[in-house]
Amino acid sequence: MNIYILNIRSVVLIIPTLFLMLNACRKDMPELERPTDYPGGNFEEVFETFWNGMNNNYVFWDIDTTDWDQVYRRYQPIFATMNINDTADIRRSYTYFRTMTNGLVDSHYRLRFRSTILQDSATISPASRRMQQREDFRNPISPNYFLNTLPLRDLDSGASRALVNEPNGSQYFAVSGTISEGIVYLYFNVFDLKRLYESSAANTASYKEVFDNFFTRTLGEEQPRGIIIDVRNNGGGNLADLDFLLGRMISSPLHFGYTKSKLSNNRLDYTPWAPAHVNPATDAKQITSPIVLLADRYSASMSEITALAIQAMPNGHFVGERTWGAMGPLTGNATYNAGQFVTAFMSEVYTSSLQIKALDDRNYEGIGISPDVMVTVNTESLATGRDAQLEAAIQLINRQ
């Protein structure tokens, strides 16, 4: 089954200036300990490379319940007896890698393999497996609902829509307009707003129009009656969009949480927690109207960081479901002593570079952000014309 969260650019890109303190603290990783330096000529080397790569680069060891040393004691002897030229052993290795990573708390985490024998196997994603095993599992809301059904049914005339297909196969769409007598509404499926807005490509012109429409209605002379930012089904994207979107609605830096990373290859050697802020834009206007974020269980990564930021606003609210739980920003391990890496056997070990915690000092990795107003998604109701989450957001604004 295709889990949307892992399908469209869920990576969060780090803005170096935001985490300058962490970058300044980085110690160089010894060359011999880089995963790419191991040839991976046999399964013993494959295992050692992966185990050490995780030992050095995984950022959640202080909160993860996985006993990584026990993983070594159990699986190293097994891999030492396996033949890397045996198709059956290669397939067995997939099962072992899935089992040893099954409990990892990092909800961005995934493994992909170079072997053509394993290319027909599903990507290993512990968080996706946990989602599919939930008793109340449901599929994501259809993208068509946000692009066509909702704007045509619920938004006032004058709504703007955009669909951008890029040569690499990425698809972006966004909708903006007003709803219920002056509430400004915005939906977008991926956080890549700043890049697409500033792009000079002809096919992104309509995308810019959607956000010009949103900003004009939001930042005009009169305060809007309320703002709804809808990130349901949004798997994340670029951290620069936090300032691009919310930075226009604040007049001073907004402190919404803290970040930390690894200080060295030592498993539990971390940097101090550093404050994380949304920075006001040069054309910012302080919005005092209610700002409501709509999110669901498939809202992840940058969607969740946005939820933290909006909840930190005095006029911010979050309506919907508890989010996916992939909180840690990502980049390559060349920037920090943590993050994603590759090996001779694996084309991708996709894992967070930083931990992030909320203002309440809690780390919600693997848990997700809880809404202020809980309203679950009912796909049957959506199909018959009722969006209970959107209704709840409108009611919340009307009560303010």
Side-chain angles (χ1 to χ4, degrees):
M1 204 205 86
N2 183 22
I3 297 296
Y4 184 76
I5 182 68
L6 297 177
N7 190 27
I8 302 180
R9 295 195 58 168
S10 61
V11 63
V12 173
L13 303 178
I14 302 305
I15 304 301
T17 55
L18 183 62
F19 300 105
L20 183 59
M21 175 183 173
L22 299 183
N23 199 25
C25 292
R26 184 184 185 276
K27 296 179 182 177
D28 288 335
M29 183 186 296
E31 286 295 327
L32 292 178
E33 296 188 28
R34 293 186 184 276
T36 51
D37 286 345
Y38 289 79
N42 57 62
F43 263 126
E44 186 171 15
E45 286 184 349
V46 166
F47 175 81
E48 293 281 353
T49 303
F50 172 70
W51 190 91
N52 282 298
M54 284 290 295
N55 194 61
N56 296 340
N57 290 282
Y58 188 68
V59 77
F60 295 109
W61 287 129
D62 61 334
I63 64 170
D64 204 300
T65 59
T66 303
D67 186 338
W68 201 237
D69 291 319
Q70 177 58 26
V71 167
Y72 188 92
R73 289 190 292 268
R74 179 179 178 184
Y75 288 99
Q76 193 278 337
I78 295 175
F79 275 84
T81 64
M82 292 168 58
N83 182 355
I84 201 167
N85 297 311
D86 187 301
T87 299
D89 279 354
I90 292 174
R91 296 192 182 280
R92 282 173 59 205
S93 74
Y94 174 89
T95 302
Y96 293 141
F97 283 118
R98 186 179 66 181
T99 303
M100 71 176 73
T101 59
N102 190 51
L104 294 178
V105 71
D106 183 0
S107 291
H108 275 111
Y109 193 85
R110 68 176 179 234
L111 295 178
R112 287 178 175 160
F113 302 90
R114 299 184 189 278
S115 170
T116 56
I117 295 170
L118 296 180
Q119 286 180 359
D120 60 345
S121 300
T123 297
I124 292 176
S125 168
S128 294
R129 288 192 70 197
R130 291 192 287 267
M131 176 66 77
Q132 294 179 62
Q133 291 168 355
R134 288 176 54 161
E135 291 183 1
D136 62 346
F137 173 78
R138 66 164 175 82
N139 288 316
I141 302 171
S142 169
N144 182 66
Y145 173 76
F146 298 104
L147 181 61
N148 294 310
T149 304
L150 186 151
L152 296 177
R153 187 190 68 200
D154 296 316
L155 298 189
D156 301 330
S157 60
S160 298
R161 291 184 295 165
L163 175 64
V164 175
N165 292 299
E166 295 202 321
N168 63 4
S170 297
Q171 184 177 81
Y172 307 90
F173 54 89
V175 175
S176 68
T178 59
I179 189 170
S180 186
E181 299 179 357
I183 297 173
V184 183
Y185 174 87
L186 173 67
Y187 178 84
F188 50 95
N189 71 322
V190 180
F191 278 88
D192 207 1
L193 315 180
K194 186 175 186 293
R195 181 185 70 84
L196 290 167
Y197 184 84
E198 295 175 351
S199 171
S200 60
N203 67 330
T204 62
S206 60
Y207 202 90
K208 185 177 186 300
E209 289 176 3
V210 167
F211 283 87
D212 282 338
N213 182 43
F214 173 73
F215 289 131
T216 297
R217 297 175 187 274
T218 302
L219 306 176
E221 292 185 8
E222 295 185 4
Q223 291 274 339
R225 194 157 66 84
I227 299 169
I228 296 174
I229 299 173
D230 194 341
V231 294
R232 290 176 291 180
N233 256 31
N234 188 318
N238 197 325
L239 187 59
D241 290 341
L242 201 59
D243 288 352
F244 174 80
L245 181 61
L246 298 186
R248 297 176 186 236
M249 305 179 195
I250 57 175
S251 57
S252 59
L254 174 69
H255 180 205
F256 68 89
Y258 305 88
T259 63
K260 74 174 182 179
S261 185
K262 295 283 294 298
L263 191 57
S264 72
N265 285 335
N266 185 295
R267 190 186 298 172
L268 298 177
D269 188 10
Y270 291 95
T271 66
W273 287 104
H277 295 88
V278 181
N279 301 301
T282 55
D283 59 347
K285 173 184 176 181
Q286 183 66 52
I287 299 298
T288 57
S289 307
I291 301 174
V292 180
L293 184 82
L294 277 182
D296 67 0
R297 68 180 60 175
Y298 289 99
S299 303
S301 198
M302 257 300 292
S303 294
E304 298 177 279
I305 293 174
T306 303
L308 284 184
I310 287 180
Q311 285 186 318
M313 294 176 169
N315 56 328
H317 311 271
F318 169 20
V319 172
E321 299 175 320
R322 181 162 56 87
T323 58
W324 180 271
M327 302 295 298
L330 294 102
T331 189
N333 62 12
T335 305
Y336 304 102
N337 276 324
Q340 52 196 305
F341 60 95
V342 298
T343 73
F345 191 72
M346 294 173 177
S347 60
E348 180 180 59
V349 181
Y350 190 77
T351 185
S352 300
S353 308
L354 304 169
Q355 287 191 38
I356 187 167
K357 68 176 180 178
L359 293 176
D360 62 4
D361 284 333
R362 292 192 61 190
N363 191 322
Y364 291 95
E365 186 68 34
I367 299 171
I369 307 300
S370 294
D372 304 309
V373 179
M374 173 70 76
V375 185
T376 58
V377 168
N378 186 319
T379 52
E380 293 181 1
S381 294
L382 288 176
T384 58
R386 186 187 175 197
D387 189 334
Q389 293 178 311
L390 182 60
E391 291 176 4
I394 294 169
Q395 290 169 6
L396 188 155
I397 290 172
N398 289 338
R399 291 195 300 267
Q400 300 301 304

